[in-house]
Amino acid sequence: MKFNAYKLREISELIILFLLPFRLVFGVLTINGVHLSDCIPVSGDELWWWQQAAGTAAYGHPLGYFGYDGGTPQIGTFATWGPFIVLPYALWGKVFGWEYYSYIYANCFYMGAASVFFCILLRMKTKRIWGIVAAECLMFVKIFFSATAMAECVRYALGIVAIALIFYLHENKKRYWWIRYIVVPLYFFYITLAYQIFAIFFFLWIFVLLEGKNKIFRWGAALGGMGAGLLISRNILHLFTSPYVASEENAGILEKVKGNLIQLYQTLHTEDTFFAWYDILILVLLILAIAGMFFGNKKEEKFSAFVEFILL
């Protein structure tokens, strides 16, 4: 009887965790006197994302032109991020229909589902589940971006699932070979197509697979695998993406990478107070991760700190 009650309690906690994004976004809207109709995308990137999802859900591809000066990709009609990040929203639209508020519901659903998947796969117990609930109540992505027609929430959800898979592989070194060698790399390839920075998970995947091997070989293989995953996915993605600005219409991959690095540098060195505090936060987290790598009491703690360091 105690065992059943304990399981029932965990299930109820996971339900709370799943519903948390919904409660946060609608709670914040209510407190601030904002109606759901105020969140309808009417211009800018939000309208851009919403129209792509609407067209893909209804016709299998966006209608119209989303590239610079009416430009289109070599294949399809998707915008500069390509089709892969739009697909989760199109799937939601196929199942539930696509309305003005659909992005909000889809954002909350995917983030809640990802958090539950994380807890179930890693067998989280009561204290850790409630710790995750408390931490997520302070997350900017859950409170702010949930109410926008932007893709940050799906990127967050895809990343959470990827992190769960990395820790799962680390803890289950010899079980379910088909998950290790088929499901995980295919998933990592998809999320890299959806968001190029997720190529870092190829590094972590190979690093985990080669645990116990020669360090130089292990690092070299992990870096090489990440580079190969990024290169292959970037060449595929390039076929489906529209140019965002005039300079990108005929730009090669190296030119685009260079442009993205310059943009990142400019963003992180802006005078905007938000990004200044963001830099400080990242620096603090990096210091804590490095300290955990060298001074962690257990092997699992050191591995967790290493994953955090790589992702940062």
Side-chain angles (χ1 to χ4, degrees):
M1 182 64 67
K2 291 183 178 180
F3 175 78
N4 293 333
Y6 178 69
K7 288 296 181 181
L8 181 62
R9 183 180 65 184
E10 283 186 330
I11 292 173
S12 65
E13 291 164 352
L14 291 175
I15 293 174
I16 292 173
L17 182 61
F18 172 73
L19 295 176
L20 183 62
F22 294 92
R23 296 177 64 87
L24 283 175
V25 67
F26 288 107
V28 170
L29 291 178
T30 302
I31 291 172
N32 288 276
V34 178
H35 191 269
L36 197 61
S37 61
D38 296 320
C39 301
I40 295 176
V42 293
S43 63
D45 285 355
E46 289 189 82
L47 186 59
W48 189 58
W49 283 107
W50 188 91
Q51 288 179 329
Q52 286 188 91
T56 306
Y59 307 103
H61 60 84
L63 302 180
Y65 303 92
F66 291 90
Y68 173 82
D69 199 21
T72 58
Q74 298 177 52
I75 301 175
T77 56
F78 285 89
T80 191
W81 288 102
F84 303 99
I85 191 64
V86 180
L87 292 180
Y89 294 110
L91 177 62
W92 177 274
K94 278 289 187 182
V95 176
F96 301 103
W98 194 253
E99 306 295 341
Y100 290 124
Y101 313 119
S102 294
Y103 249 100
I104 298 176
Y105 296 122
N107 283 336
C108 293
F109 172 82
Y110 285 123
M111 288 195 298
S115 296
V116 170
F117 177 85
F118 183 91
C119 290
I120 292 177
L121 192 66
L122 300 183
R123 300 184 295 276
M124 296 289 181
K125 300 301 180 183
T126 295
K127 289 183 179 180
R128 290 192 174 184
I129 293 176
W130 281 110
I132 292 174
V133 169
E136 291 191 353
C137 286
L138 304 176
M139 282 188 177
F140 186 70
V141 66
K142 285 185 178 280
I143 297 174
F144 175 77
F145 279 109
S146 297
T148 67
M150 302 287 281
E152 277 74 8
C153 295
V154 160
R155 290 170 181 159
Y156 168 87
L158 294 175
I160 289 296
V161 171
I163 293 172
L165 289 172
I166 289 295
F167 281 106
Y168 176 82
L169 293 181
H170 179 68
E171 296 173 0
N172 300 272
K173 296 179 174 59
K174 296 183 179 180
R175 299 178 63 188
Y176 307 118
W177 64 268
W178 53 276
I179 294 180
R180 299 174 66 83
Y181 298 109
I182 299 178
V183 174
V184 170
L186 286 177
Y187 177 74
F188 287 171
F189 187 67
Y190 166 72
I191 65 174
T192 303
L193 288 169
Y195 197 36
Q196 294 284 270
I197 199 171
F198 283 153
I200 192 67
F201 286 107
F202 279 113
F203 173 89
L204 292 170
W205 172 59
I206 296 175
F207 200 83
V208 169
L209 290 182
L210 297 179
E211 185 175 0
K213 303 295 183 181
N214 179 274
K215 289 185 178 180
I216 296 178
F217 172 73
R218 188 184 186 192
W219 275 87
L223 290 171
M226 180 181 66
L230 180 60
L231 182 63
I232 294 171
S233 64
R234 187 69 189 95
N235 276 280
I236 294 174
L237 187 61
H238 183 66
L239 300 174
F240 296 92
T241 57
S242 298
Y244 191 59
V245 294
S247 60
E248 287 187 351
E249 288 191 90
N250 298 308
I253 294 177
L254 293 179
E255 288 81 1
K256 288 192 174 186
V257 171
K258 180 181 177 181
N260 290 336
L261 290 175
I262 293 175
Q263 185 179 16
L264 177 63
Y265 176 84
Q266 292 172 343
T267 300
L268 294 179
H269 289 77
T270 180
E271 295 181 358
D272 191 299
T273 303
F274 173 79
F275 286 108
W277 281 106
Y278 179 82
D279 286 346
I280 294 174
L281 175 62
I282 292 297
L283 179 61
V284 171
L285 292 176
L286 278 172
I287 294 173
L288 292 175
I290 293 172
M293 289 166 58
F294 288 99
F295 303 108
N297 295 324
K298 299 180 180 178
K299 187 176 180 180
E300 290 75 13
E301 292 178 359
K302 292 184 177 182
F303 178 76
S304 299
F306 174 74
V307 172
E308 180 184 352
F309 174 77
I310 294 297
L311 294 178
L312 285 170

